[in-house]
Amino acid sequence: MIEEGSKSSKSMVEKRQLFMEMRAQNFDVIRLSTYRTACKLRFVQKRCNLHLVDVWNMIEAFRDNGLSTLDHNAEINVSRLETILSSIFYQLNKRLPTTHQINVEQSIGLLLNFIVATYDSEGHGKLTVFAMKAMLATMCGGKILDKLRYIFSQISDSNGVMVYAKFDQFLREVLKLPTAVFEGPSFGYTEHSVRTCFPQQKKILLNTFLDVLMADPPPQYLVWLPLMHRLANVENVFHPVECSYCRSESMMGFRYRCQQCHGYQLCQSCFWRGHASGPHSNQHQMKEHSSWKSPAKKLSHAISKSLGCMPIGEPPHPVFPEAAERPQDLAHTTQLRPVASNMNDTVLISSGTPTPSKSTLESPSRLDEEHRLIARYAARLAAEASNSTQCPPTDLSFNFDANKQQRQLIAELENKNREILQEIQRLRLEHEQASQPTPEKAQQNPTLLAELRLLRHRKDELERRMSALQESRRELMVQLEGLMRLLKDEEQKQASQTGTSPHSSPSHSASCTMPMPIRSTSAGSTPTHTPQDCLAGVGDDVLDAFSQGVPRNLRNDLLVAADSITNTMSSLVKELHSVDDGLEEEEENMRNGREKVSSLKHSGKRQSTPSF
């Protein structure tokens, strides 16, 4: 009984872990409910590592787990949900570099508990397929445009028209997310939610759907959704502006500028908490800035806008064809992954092309060529789609020509793929033949090989010695430069104090503590130390010049030190010349050795040639 009680208590702690960590962030001090909700959901997204999963990877996971063939109202249990989440995060770790791997088990546990707490609060142990798709497609990473296009493909009919009942079901499921983070009073679902977004007597197509949800401002119930994406985009944005309240000299994230108080700007922390100072009030209208533009850029932007060199208003999204889009479940697509995976892996979709073998993915030139062909093919399809919207639908000859061009392009891609496979096979055979041992290699003289290895070892030693001598020369030059700078500064100081000519001989006490550059192991770093530390290893004359106890003439000591360094440099240059001569001699020996090996090869061939 005690063990069962400890397990149940541990399970409760795991279920509440994410919410406890969210409460520790103290998001409730944010004054506006929109920012408060977006910050909480962004925290959940990052804590569960969903921001690393693109929406296209999420759609692929739905397809791989068989969800694209299930009805939206079908129910799945928690164990299958855990299997789906496991496939999502394990595939994510395969795409990430080894230095950015995530804790898969922890991510699965946190996200599973959050989904169960959000969509199965009564403890039935089941949730619908549509609820899981809506939640994961909303909370994953990627562009909001791609997410909305996928959502529209799930709530529209075969004619590309939105079904109001399905959109109402989507709102019912997606608005459970703000309720799960304790923001239900502001963004909870009501029966009037659909009517506030779309009038039910109007036919809603894809472009209208995107216009409404990506408008500024968006519908009241979904105003937190685009804000969550803007938060992700400005997390590392820097503004070199001072906050008018907290007096911070720089801002990170959003920047807010008052439309009434001239030059009054607040950082996102002060604005979210409702701070104000001076004549500014929280009732004033504030403009949100997600980037920083210098005054010169603002001036050029205003001039270009006034002269008509740039469009005044840009559409929030590209205009898509009015024809119905195929549901984006990726049921008949293949995914071509780049060879080098990184944090921003791109999913390349190619419909109708043959799936390449594993060996073909190892050729960067093949990938580049195929990417260019796919891009050209996509551009042609986009141009044909835009032209088809302008031409009457009864133009059958145009459709026939377009289909013919598409088939020709697909045939070109298939031929190119076969040529690449043949080239890869040929290169593999050449590599295998080159790697096989030959009788000529076996007939080489082992004495010559040992001599060559000795010559290479000697050359490496000389190169290391050359590098050490060059480093010593560089350090001595740095010390000499510091000494001359110290002498110049002392002369200027004495001249300013006595009013005499700077060329007069200055006197200095033995306890001088003026800074000067010393030896450093990294370029560009010049830490400041005392002159005694700067002159370590130069010579006794220089050390005596800065020793404490007996005052000496600093100018004469520095001149002596400079002579000492000059002599040292001369000896170093001579030694470098001698090393260069030795390197030339060793290179000549290596060339002679190669000629001997070559002559032995030719002699071996002549001996092995039969005579008739």
Side-chain angles (χ1 to χ4, degrees), residues 492-508:
Q492 292 178 355
K493 181 178 179 181
Q494 292 294 333
S496 61
Q497 290 178 357
T498 60
T500 59
S501 173
H503 297 286
S504 60
S505 177
S507 62
H508 191 274

Side-chain angles (χ1 to χ4, degrees), residues 356-363 366 421 424 428:
S357 61
K358 184 177 179 181
S359 61
T360 61
L361 297 179
E362 300 175 356
S363 176
R366 188 204 68 81
L421 290 174
I424 291 175
R428 185 181 289 110

Side-chain angles (χ1 to χ4, degrees), residues 399-410:
N399 293 333
F400 178 77
D401 294 339
N403 293 332
K404 184 177 179 181
Q405 292 178 1
Q406 294 174 9
R407 288 194 297 270
Q408 290 177 356
L409 190 56
I410 292 174

Side-chain angles (χ1 to χ4, degrees), residues 65 86 127 173 225 234 506 517 536 548 567:
N65 288 275
S86 300
L127 71 158
E173 301 298 343
L225 181 58
V234 302
Q548 299 184 2
N567 295 332

Side-chain angles (χ1 to χ4, degrees), residues 123-144:
H124 296 300
K126 293 183 179 181
L127 71 158
T128 63
V129 173
F130 185 75
M132 189 195 64
K133 283 185 176 182
M135 182 271 172
L136 293 177
T138 304
M139 293 294 293
C140 69
K143 298 180 180 179
I144 186 173

Side-chain angles (χ1 to χ4, degrees), residues 238-254:
F238 175 77
H239 305 268
V241 183
E242 181 182 8
C243 179
S244 300
Y245 182 83
C246 65
R247 299 301 176 185
S248 175
E249 296 182 355
S250 61
M251 302 181 190
M252 293 294 293
F254 286 119

Side-chain angles (χ1 to χ4, degrees), residues 319-323 378-391 398 402 406:
V319 179
F320 296 96
E322 295 296 339
R380 284 190 183 180
L381 292 179
E384 292 164 5
S386 62
N387 293 331
S388 63
T389 58
Q390 299 175 0
C391 299
F398 175 79
Q406 294 174 9

